[in-house]
Amino acid sequence: TNVSDGKTEFKNDVPASARTIIGGGDTNFLSVFGGECFWDNLTVNIVQRRGSDNGVKISYGVDLTDITHDESVEGVYTHVQPYIVVSTQEEVSEGETQSVNKTIVGDLQEVIANVPEANREILNVDLSSEFSGRQQDEPLPTVEEIDTACQKYIADNKIGVPSVSMTVSFLPLWQTEDYKDIAPLKRVSLGDTVHI
């Protein structure tokens, strides 16, 4: 792999197939680190980008045969409610302490502006892992720190962005007689970027 930010870790504590750990299920390697994967029978490669951008253009009237564009707002959240759960030691009797979980709630973060309250879709996000390195004697995270971590979460996970899919059909010109001299310039492989 060439995918790493140097600080994020991935851990799996339950039995699962290799395919699920790499890219299936709710939490997997690709959802944590991003990137794309490809494999043969023996090796799995997880890279920032599988294909390349060779400047291939698919044009109307040349090689484009069909195009379908779908945009969905299903699952798009308008607000995010961040919170953390921290473990603190509280004295229950003289000389005796007990571990108590305390929830600290951040401010409601607006992702899409001017949404009427009745139409809000709120995502509750537990950001406890962002503060997991805190020592017991350190002060508890503030609401402002939780809000800052939430803004980063919103940006990193593209919260509020609709899902867009495009299906394009085109003629593989590199296989035609007329384009045999420039076939390498028009060839497209799995994972490549094309300009439409």
Side-chain angles (χ1 to χ4, degrees):
T1 185
N2 62 3
V3 177
S4 175
D5 62 8
K7 58 183 185 241
T8 304
E9 294 181 359
F10 175 75
K11 185 177 180 182
N12 181 61
D13 294 326
V14 296
S17 69
R19 183 181 295 266
T20 301
I21 292 171
I22 292 168
D26 294 333
T27 303
N28 57 66
F29 191 91
L30 292 176
S31 70
V32 172
F33 291 99
E36 300 173 347
C37 69
F38 62 96
W39 59 89
D40 59 22
N41 289 335
L42 303 173
T43 306
V44 177
N45 297 283
I46 300 174
V47 293
Q48 277 301 119
R49 185 169 173 189
R50 178 179 178 161
S52 58
D53 185 351
N54 298 319
V56 174
K57 291 183 178 157
I58 297 174
S59 304
Y60 177 77
V62 179
D63 52 357
L64 180 68
T65 59
D66 188 33
I67 187 167
T68 305
H69 177 265
D70 291 316
E71 191 168 324
S72 173
V73 294
E74 185 179 337
V76 173
Y77 293 95
T78 62
H79 294 73
V80 176
Q81 180 64 68
Y83 68 93
I84 65 169
V85 179
V86 292
S87 180
T88 60
Q89 296 293 324
E90 292 189 6
E91 192 169 327
V92 289
S93 62
E94 192 174 317
E96 201 174 310
T97 61
Q98 178 180 348
S99 182
V100 177
N101 286 337
K102 180 175 182 176
T103 302
I104 304 172
V105 180
D107 295 321
L108 184 66
Q109 302 293 309
E110 184 178 70
V111 179
I112 300 174
N114 303 321
V115 175
E117 193 167 337
N119 297 339
R120 290 181 177 176
E121 292 290 332
I122 300 174
L123 174 64
N124 294 305
V125 177
D126 182 355
L127 297 172
S128 302
S129 61
E130 296 294 318
F131 302 93
S132 60
R134 186 184 74 82
Q135 302 297 319
Q136 287 289 341
D137 57 344
E138 288 183 65
L140 294 175
T142 63
V143 169
E144 291 78 21
E145 290 173 322
I146 295 170
D147 292 347
T148 301
C150 184
Q151 287 299 320
K152 181 178 182 320
Y153 177 87
I154 291 169
D156 290 349
N157 293 282
K158 298 180 180 167
I159 305 296
V161 178
S163 65
V164 177
S165 66
M166 190 176 287
T167 304
V168 178
S169 298
F170 63 98
L171 294 171
L173 293 179
W174 64 87
Q175 296 176 356
T176 64
E177 189 65 28
D178 293 341
Y179 284 84
K180 68 179 181 184
D181 294 336
I182 60 167
L185 300 176
K186 294 298 265 180
R187 183 175 299 279
V188 176
S189 297
L190 188 62
D192 285 354
T193 297
V194 294
H195 304 271
I196 302 167

